[in-house]
Each structure stands twice: as structure tokens, then as C-alpha cells.
Amino acid sequence: MQDKNHRPQRRTVRAIISGSMANLVIWYDWYVYAAFGIYFSAAFFPESSPTVQLLKTAGIFALGFLMRPVGGWILGGLGDRFGRRRSMLLSVVLMSLGSLIIALTPSYHIIGVYAPALLLFARLLQGFSIGGETGISTAYLCEMAPPHRRGFYSSFQYATLVGGQICALGTLIVLQRFWLSEQQLLEWGWRIPFVIGAFLTLITFYLHHHLHETKAYLEVRSKSIVEKGIWKRLKEHPKAIFWVVGVTMGGTLAFYTYITYMQKYLVNTIGMSKADATLITFFALLFFALIQPLLGGFSDRIGRKPLLIAFGVSGTLCTLPLISAMDHAGSGYQVFGILALCLIILSGYTSISAAVKAELFPAEVRAVGVGLPHALTVALFGGSTEYIALWLKNKDMERWFFWYVTMAIFISLLLFINMKDTQKHNKIDGEPHG
């Protein structure tokens, strides 16, 4: 009898692990571009200074974000109409295809302007994939989780999201320190992680057997609610859409500042070596990933709103002082400690982001309701982070970028103060879980 009681729990845990693995694969492919940009930018934009090469590479990174709302709209709609499981697997395949294109694209010296054109196409495809996957994985993890553990289980979305970047940076560290020289990485070694990303599609065959559809979606499907028109039903939730935008704005700008731009900042502004900057970023992100479930579980006890407000207040007051302290740090250990503090502050947003957004929508529009406004906000604020930062640096006004981050967090803070705590006021508690 005890074994029968534990079967649903084991089934739920296996499904959450499988969904988290799909999330990790997708984000590894997405972040390989950011991690290896310092090496492959010259292959696509050879006739430029190092800062301008990074600027152009960051421009394509930003353009990839333009497809995220399209992916949130189309793939999120598919997730609400045909199920979370199949749409999630489709997202993984599309992302890995983008990595394969980048891996096989010849350099500018061989095919000229077609090289950056193919790079752009691949990133647009990956942007489409990740735009849809965010809303789908948010819905999947939150619908699988028991109500009293929703913050804990859904925090694995960002834990594995960051895990994807950890894997990307780990690949870079191995190549830097144990396998290839700096010159080999610049010439051809940067292609290796994209090949790995393409082959990670094989994981989808494993996931296919361990992912199962959520009960919340199946209940909606059985009532034919989805057939009545997802887009018409989405219009019934304007306030929820507004809150997703408000919650995401400051959080995503801070996230892409510390998660993707910081590696370039350590090299391009502070003057650290590429290898040291990568190593510091790797261990900081490992710490960041490990604390996500701790704070997610904490939100199940005290609510989501206190963590959001803590992020808003700390981010507003501490962003500029922490960056200034990093500029004057005397060692790599000090840089790591300061970056870790930045990531602790950021965790007030990331650890509960999935739970908060999923709790705002009913099951019939949850994937697209989260995915579309989230993707639009990330495209505007997150996707442009590196480009704006590098553009301001090129104009000798880099300090203004961190004022911009501070103001965005402050605006989100005003919204956090005025929104209800979604742990207590939500549209998911009455749905079946698992």
C-alpha cells in the first residue's frame, strides 16, 4: 500500500526532472553563443576592433530576442492547444538545429557576408525556440508541482536555466585550460560547443519516454476549453499580462547584466584575462544555481511578494555600489564575492519567477499567457542588455548603463509593492497537479 501511495510522487518527480533537463538542454544551446562570443566574433566580423566585434556579435544576440515573442505566441499557443509535452520537445529540436547551423557556418573570409547572415538566421531560430519554451516549461513545472511545494519545484526552471550556462562555461573552461590554445579556440575550437549542442537533441529521445502531460492541461482539454480560442481567452486577462511585464522588466535586465554581460565586463573593462573571467563567472553561476531551490522553497513558507520586494529594494540601492566595488577589487576572490552578492540579490526574482507568472493564469492560457508577455519584455530589456552596455562603453559612458539597470529595477519595485502575493491569490490552486 505504501508503494502505491509513493507512485504518484515518484511519477511527478521524474516528470519534473525530465522537464528540467529539457530546459537545461535548451539554455545550454542559447548560452553557448554568449560564452564563446569573445572567440568567434572575429570569424564573422573580422574588420573591426575587439569592442566593435563584440558589439556586432551582441547585436545579433539582441536580434535573436526579436523572435522570442513570436515563439511565445506560436509555440506557447501550441502548448495550450496541443499540450505541454509535445511543444517542449519541439522547442528542444529547433534550438539544437540552430546550434548545428552555427557550428557548420564557414567564416567571413570564406563566404563573405553570408557568414553573419547565417549566424543571424540561426539565432532567430533559437530565439523562436526559447521564446516558446519559457512559457511551456513554466506551465509544465508549476502544474506538476504540489501546491505547497510549487515555489520549490518551479525554481528548478532557473536552476537548470543557469545550469545551461554553467555547462556552456564549463565547456569553455575545459577547452581553455586542458585542450586548446588561445589561437586554436579563435580559429576553430569555438565550433566544438555548438556541435555538442546539436547532439544534445538525442536527449529528447530519453525525455520522450519520461515526460507525461499535466493533469491540469488534460482537464482543460477534456472540457474543450482550449478549442474555444486561446487568443480570445487571453484577452480576458489584461491585468495578469501587465503583471508579467512588470515583474519581468527589472528582473530580466539585471539577469542578463550579471549572467551574460558580466563575463565581457570583467575582460573588456576590468582587464581580467578571458580564462580568469570565465572561471570566476563559472563558480559564481554554480553558486547562483544552487541557491534557487532554497529561496524557492522559502517562498512556499513566507510567500512570493517578500522576495520580490527584497530584490527590488536591494537591486535599487546596491547595483551601483557593487559595480564600483568590483571595479576596485584587488583580487579575483574579491570579484567573485561581489558577483555572488549581486546574484543573491537577483535570486529574489529568479527563484520565484516561474511560480509567480504561472499563478497569474488559468491552465487554458497559461503557456501563452506567461510566454508571450515575458518574451516581449525580455526582447526589449534582456536582449538589448549587452548591446546597450557595449555601445555606452564605446562612447566612454559605461557608468550610465548601470544607472539604467537601477532605474528598471526601481520601476519593477513599485509594481511589486502594489501587486497581491500570488502564493495566496492565484488561479492554479484549484487545478489538479501532477
Side-chain angles (χ1 to χ4, degrees), residues 26-238:
I26 278 188
W27 286 99
Y28 167 83
D29 282 319
W30 181 254
Y31 280 124
V32 157
Y33 183 98
F36 282 80
I38 54 179
Y39 287 103
F40 70 74
S41 58
F44 293 94
F45 308 103
E47 306 300 330
S48 303
S49 69
T51 297
V52 174
Q53 286 174 354
L54 287 174
L55 185 62
K56 291 180 179 179
T57 305
I60 287 184
F61 186 79
L63 288 173
F65 278 74
L66 295 180
M67 287 298 290
R68 290 185 65 161
V70 181
W73 172 41
I74 296 177
L75 292 179
L78 291 176
D80 285 327
R81 184 174 294 277
F82 299 108
R84 322 309 192 202
R85 177 175 170 272
R86 284 186 287 181
S87 301
M88 191 182 301
L89 295 176
L90 176 60
S91 296
V92 175
V93 172
L94 291 175
M95 178 62 73
S96 296
L97 177 59
S99 286
L100 182 62
I101 293 171
I102 295 174
L104 299 179
T105 297
S107 68
Y108 186 93
H109 289 301
I110 296 175
I111 60 172
V113 71
Y114 293 107
L118 283 171
L119 180 67
L120 174 60
F121 172 76
R123 285 304 286 180
L124 292 177
L125 181 64
Q126 291 185 321
F128 177 83
S129 165
I130 211 148
E133 193 274 344
T134 300
I136 296 166
S137 66
T138 296
Y140 189 82
L141 293 177
C142 290
E143 289 171 1
M144 280 292 172
H148 66 289
R149 303 297 302 280
R150 191 179 300 128
F152 173 75
Y153 281 121
S154 66
S155 71
F156 283 93
Q157 184 192 54
Y158 263 92
T160 52
L161 183 159
V162 176
Q165 186 168 14
I166 291 171
C167 291
L169 288 174
T171 303
L172 178 54
I173 290 170
V174 170
L175 293 177
Q176 284 175 332
R177 295 180 178 267
F178 304 109
W179 195 7
L180 301 178
S181 67
E182 183 87 357
Q183 189 60 33
Q184 287 173 321
L185 274 169
L186 288 167
E187 290 177 354
W188 57 270
W190 60 265
R191 297 182 186 273
I192 293 173
F194 291 102
V195 172
I196 294 172
F199 277 103
L200 285 176
T201 308
L202 297 176
I203 291 180
T204 60
F205 293 105
Y206 167 82
L207 297 176
H208 178 77
H209 297 290
H210 290 79
L211 284 170
H212 59 266
E213 197 52 76
T214 67
K215 292 179 181 178
Y217 168 78
L218 292 175
E219 182 180 76
V220 167
R221 185 69 173 175
S222 68
K223 294 179 180 179
S224 299
I225 294 177
V226 175
E227 306 294 344
K228 296 179 181 178
I230 292 172
W231 313 119
K232 289 182 180 179
R233 295 191 64 84
L234 184 60
K235 293 178 182 178
E236 298 173 5
H237 305 280

Side-chain angles (χ1 to χ4, degrees), residues 141-415:
L141 293 177
C142 290
E143 289 171 1
M144 280 292 172
H148 66 289
R149 303 297 302 280
R150 191 179 300 128
F152 173 75
Y153 281 121
S154 66
S155 71
F156 283 93
Q157 184 192 54
Y158 263 92
T160 52
L161 183 159
V162 176
Q165 186 168 14
I166 291 171
C167 291
L169 288 174
T171 303
L172 178 54
I173 290 170
V174 170
L175 293 177
Q176 284 175 332
R177 295 180 178 267
F178 304 109
W179 195 7
L180 301 178
S181 67
E182 183 87 357
Q183 189 60 33
Q184 287 173 321
L185 274 169
L186 288 167
E187 290 177 354
W188 57 270
W190 60 265
R191 297 182 186 273
I192 293 173
F194 291 102
V195 172
I196 294 172
F199 277 103
L200 285 176
T201 308
L202 297 176
I203 291 180
T204 60
F205 293 105
Y206 167 82
L207 297 176
H208 178 77
H209 297 290
H210 290 79
L211 284 170
H212 59 266
E213 197 52 76
T214 67
K215 292 179 181 178
Y217 168 78
L218 292 175
E219 182 180 76
V220 167
R221 185 69 173 175
S222 68
K223 294 179 180 179
S224 299
I225 294 177
V226 175
E227 306 294 344
K228 296 179 181 178
I230 292 172
W231 313 119
K232 289 182 180 179
R233 295 191 64 84
L234 184 60
K235 293 178 182 178
E236 298 173 5
H237 305 280
K239 186 178 291 187
I241 293 172
F242 172 78
W243 288 126
V244 170
V245 172
V247 168
T248 304
M249 181 177 63
T252 194
L253 183 53
F255 179 81
Y256 279 97
T257 297
Y258 297 126
I259 299 299
T260 62
Y261 177 63
M262 193 50 57
Q263 183 196 17
K264 281 87 173 173
Y265 183 80
L266 295 179
V267 173
N268 218 22
T269 298
I270 295 180
M272 299 184 71
S273 70
K274 293 175 182 177
D276 287 345
T278 301
L279 193 63
I280 287 173
T281 305
F282 175 84
F283 283 109
L285 291 179
L286 183 60
F287 166 76
F288 182 57
L290 291 175
I291 65 175
Q292 299 308 298
L294 296 177
L295 290 176
F298 190 48
S299 78
D300 288 324
R301 293 178 176 272
I302 68 168
R304 322 291 187 219
K305 188 171 180 177
L307 289 181
L308 289 176
I309 291 178
F311 158 68
V313 172
S314 300
T316 300
L317 296 178
C318 299
T319 296
L320 281 163
L322 287 173
I323 293 299
S324 296
M326 193 179 294
D327 290 345
H328 297 93
S331 69
Y333 292 106
Q334 291 179 355
V335 171
F336 170 80
I338 295 166
L339 182 54
L341 284 176
C342 294
L343 294 175
I344 290 172
I345 292 171
L346 177 60
S347 295
Y349 162 75
T350 55
S351 62
I352 57 172
S353 172
V356 169
K357 294 167 189 174
E359 288 167 342
L360 290 168
F361 293 93
E364 61 264 25
V365 291
R366 185 166 291 128
V368 71
V370 173
L372 181 56
H374 173 89
L376 284 167
T377 311
V378 171
L380 181 60
F381 293 97
S384 62
T385 299
E386 282 196 356
Y387 189 87
I388 292 174
L390 288 166
W391 184 84
L392 287 171
K393 175 176 175 55
N394 204 40
K395 300 290 185 181
D396 294 323
M397 297 187 298
E398 191 170 24
R399 187 62 51 180
W400 284 101
F401 171 72
F402 295 104
W403 276 109
Y404 166 57
V405 175
T406 299
M407 288 305 301
I409 296 174
F410 176 70
I411 293 171
S412 286
L413 171 61
L414 297 179
L415 297 174

